[in-house]
Amino acid sequence: MGTPLITLLDASLLGRGSREAFEDESGLRLNFADLEMRSNRWAAWLRQKGIQPGDRLAFFLANRAEVIDLWLACVKSGVIVVPVNILYREREIHHILAETRPAAVVTAGKDAHFFAGARILEVEESAREAGQIPVSSRPPLPREEDPVAALIFTSGTTGVAKGAVLTHGNFAVNGSSLVQTWKFTENDRYLAALPLFHVHGLANGLHCWLGSGCHLRLLERFQAARAEEEFLRYRPTVFFGVPTMYVRLLELPAEAARKIGACLRLAVSGSAPLSPAIHAEFRKKFGTTLLERYGMTETLMNTSHPYDGERRPGTVGPALPHVRIAIRDLQGDEVRDGEEGELYVKGPNVCRGYWNREDATRGAFVDGWFRTGDMGVRSPDGYITLQGRRSDLIISGGFNIYPREIEEFLVTLPGIREAAVVGVADRVRGELPVAYVVSEGPLDENALKEALGRSLASFKCPRAFVRVDHLPRTALGKVQKHLLPPHKP
Ligand code: MCA
Ligand code: AMP
């Protein structure tokens, strides 16, 4: 095992105590010693609530300082964090609760109703209670060699969401590798707009910050309308985003873009494909070249454009130093450079498997190599170009959508006999879901949208419903989505 996660964090929490560390939109400012103290109090508070090492603690929170407090407190005490996407609704939430059985859920009072039956710890009240605990020392370190840090839900190559079991070691190797590869220093200023419930914001964002001791400004969420003001006031040197955020930033006036670009030494794009056109437009308008990287919840980051070398548009760069990537054909044999195959990943970044899903875990690994489900080719100089996926995953605004989940839900609604969901190209979000349905009578789109909105995250709601007489199927009954009539908006 490499460096423990706590050692990476301690470089700042203990080593840079008096240095300015954090600010948020409410005006809260903290140095690293404050973060150390706050998380010790939260750890003591977890103990008071009877939450033990190895227990799961879920959070359902928009970005706020307490998410960081909780993350640090849980890392220090060996409690397993289950971050829940704030846009999830009844069905997704119910599934995660059933899979992980958390000891408690930390959430805002207004959202408590989504978690009926679970033990709710209301966030404001919890913060007040934790804040009143007399100055507290650290809890004893977890006894296990490489404890589990988080269960993060993703659908992998199948449609059922499963908790990727990510350990302290996974986060530590990912964080320290990115700090070095992307040349973070304590003089950086990182504008954090990604949600902290996914690995892009959590594993990369928080650990590059704490691993380098730079300054972080936390936004509750990315809002295009406020981006110009935020960037010009804070003058970040570093920004991490999904392609949708960069498309939105291209809407800024030229003068603002130039000023922003002049400060921005590192703008990282990931989680969804970045088109070479956006890469070029961004460079022209902001005078800075986007750096693209590729990762997965199960593996954290796998590849990255080099910091100093060529940031080749359309590629995701070579494998990171600690990661091995093999590209294999359907028989499992490695293909030659320039030939397409599926990407397999091996290294200390790869998760232990899926929580309580031995079958899925067995299916995801071949001889210790993790099957990504992503198809790609490698150039002779090691750059990887992704070429789609084995499954029909849709990525919209950087959020993943599994058509099967929506299709299964749609056919439970009255009058819907069959459904097929596909992704259609969209300049801003990358892709948008569209549903083709066979129904008994005319479609009531509003009723469908209302039912979907109650049960599933808003980004999964199809932007259009197309009524068809039948779905094209193979002789074996599998829907041939490529034969559906094209959707005209
Ligand atoms: C989006 N919405 C939100 C939030 N983000 N609502 C509450 N809190 C949020 N944080 C909702 C809006 O209400 C709206 O819903 C819709 O999403 C789009 O919002 P809009 O303001 O129009 O924003 P946009 O300009 O289209 O940008 C959307 C976004 C968002 C901010 C880019 O998609 C986003 O935060 N994406 C990041 C996803 C992410 O972190 N992915 C990493 C996964 P409505 O449509 O109903 O009006 S980790 C991963 O994939 C791997 C490991 C990797 O490689 O990183
Ligand atoms: P998730 O299930 O959230 O872990 O999503 C991981 C998936 O996002 C990967 O398997 C890829 O298909 C996709 N992804 C991540 N980064 C990139 C990227 N830079 N370009 C294209 N797709 C990406």
Side-chain angles (χ1 to χ4, degrees), residues 160-171:
V160 189
K162 303 176 288 292
V165 179
L166 289 157
T167 68
H168 283 211
N170 296 145
F171 285 101

Side-chain angles (χ1 to χ4, degrees), residues 135-146:
V135 180
S136 164
S137 53
R138 281 194 178 184
L141 275 177
R143 268 188 249 124
E144 268 173 87
E145 201 192 325
D146 186 19

